[in-house]
Amino acid sequence: MLRAYRAGLFPMAESRRGDRLYWLDPEHRGIMPLDGFHLPRRLRRTVLGDTFEVTADRDFAGIIAGCAAPAPGRTDTWINPEIEALFLALHRMGAAHSIEVWQGGMLVGGLYGVALGGAFFGESMFSRARDASKVALVHLVARLRLGGFTLLDTQFLTEHLSQFGTLEIPRADYKRRLTAALPVPARWLAAPEPAALEAAIRELRD
């Protein structure tokens, strides 16, 4: 799995019940520039307010299960049991991480991905409350900036991600950026200093 990520590949299944795993290397790749993230003012107020509690690596299993579960407008998913097991193993190894968003003690959203060197490979996100997945994304970007990461791979460009500054670049350009990012000695910050995290969020521009 980790060798595949270093080569620019990522896994998907055809469906939740699919029993085959496919490695993708798309012609165009989505990336979110960490120095060009757009944070709308309304969302900034939500992130800095007390609507949600945000943690990291507290419930990785709950996050991947939430991403795999059916949701409004999405009756199926590419996360099959094999992918769940593989990412749980990567998490135990310290290579896969999650951001959890809580409300009233309930897990209402979040995301997960893989960290290698200065690259973070975003895999999936989900939301059961308004703005929950967006709040998780803001916290991810702030942690990556604090930790010295240089590349945030979103795999594809979607309408949802484009509002935050995500770009689509050719495969060759992505591979060059990935090669440059992998040797970077970045650190995943599961529990950064609250003041530093808030300052990093406030630095994000609309």
Side-chain angles (χ1 to χ4, degrees), residues 6-50:
R6 290 189 181 99
L9 310 178
F10 59 90
M12 294 184 76
E14 281 187 325
S15 68
R16 176 66 175 161
R17 294 182 174 84
D19 59 1
R20 294 189 62 186
L21 202 62
Y22 297 90
W23 291 99
L24 277 69
D25 185 14
E27 185 177 348
H28 292 90
R29 196 69 163 250
I31 64 163
M32 183 175 290
L34 293 171
D35 58 354
F37 184 82
H38 302 319
L39 177 56
R41 293 182 183 179
R42 184 193 65 79
L43 182 58
R44 182 194 304 272
R45 290 193 295 270
T46 300
V47 174
L48 294 174
D50 58 4

Side-chain angles (χ1 to χ4, degrees), residues 20 31 42 47 50 69 77 80 106 113 122 132 145-146 155 158:
R20 294 189 62 186
I31 64 163
R42 184 193 65 79
V47 174
D50 58 4
T77 177
N80 68 359
M106 301 292 291
R145 284 165 60 101
L146 282 173
Q155 298 180 350
T158 65

Side-chain angles (χ1 to χ4, degrees), residues 4-205:
Y5 275 99
R6 290 189 181 99
L9 310 178
F10 59 90
M12 294 184 76
E14 281 187 325
S15 68
R16 176 66 175 161
R17 294 182 174 84
D19 59 1
R20 294 189 62 186
L21 202 62
Y22 297 90
W23 291 99
L24 277 69
D25 185 14
E27 185 177 348
H28 292 90
R29 196 69 163 250
I31 64 163
M32 183 175 290
L34 293 171
D35 58 354
F37 184 82
H38 302 319
L39 177 56
R41 293 182 183 179
R42 184 193 65 79
L43 182 58
R44 182 194 304 272
R45 290 193 295 270
T46 300
V47 174
L48 294 174
D50 58 4
T51 303
F52 301 110
E53 177 192 2
V54 182
T55 60
D57 290 344
R58 179 188 291 181
D59 189 2
F60 187 90
I63 289 296
I64 195 168
C67 291
R74 187 194 69 196
T75 58
D76 201 1
T77 177
W78 56 269
I79 303 172
N80 68 359
E82 182 181 4
I83 284 182
E84 279 194 76
L86 287 169
F87 278 100
L88 285 167
L90 289 181
H91 176 63
R92 290 191 294 271
M93 291 169 57
H97 302 282
S98 58
I99 300 287
E100 302 91 14
V101 180
W102 309 83
Q103 189 173 46
M106 301 292 291
L107 184 63
V108 295
L111 57 81
Y112 75 96
V114 173
L116 288 174
F120 189 90
F121 307 86
E123 283 295 320
S124 187
M125 61 174 60
F126 79 99
S127 183
R128 297 180 184 137
R130 183 184 181 188
D131 291 335
S133 63
K134 295 177 182 178
V135 169
L137 181 60
V138 173
H139 272 261
L140 173 67
V141 169
R143 280 172 165 80
L144 296 182
R145 284 165 60 101
L146 282 173
F149 286 79
T150 60
L151 177 65
L152 174 50
D153 173 8
T154 68
Q155 298 180 350
F156 301 107
L157 175 63
T158 65
E159 184 178 351
H160 174 70
L161 292 174
S162 65
Q163 65 186 300
F164 300 108
T166 300
L167 308 172
E168 189 175 66
I169 61 175
R171 177 166 50 206
D173 188 4
Y174 170 77
K175 295 291 179 69
R176 284 193 293 270
R177 295 183 188 221
L178 175 60
T179 299
L182 288 173
V184 173
R187 293 185 302 125
W188 170 256
L189 301 175
E193 288 293 330
L197 181 60
E198 179 176 337
I201 292 171
R202 291 187 181 278
E203 288 176 357
L204 301 175
R205 302 302 179 187

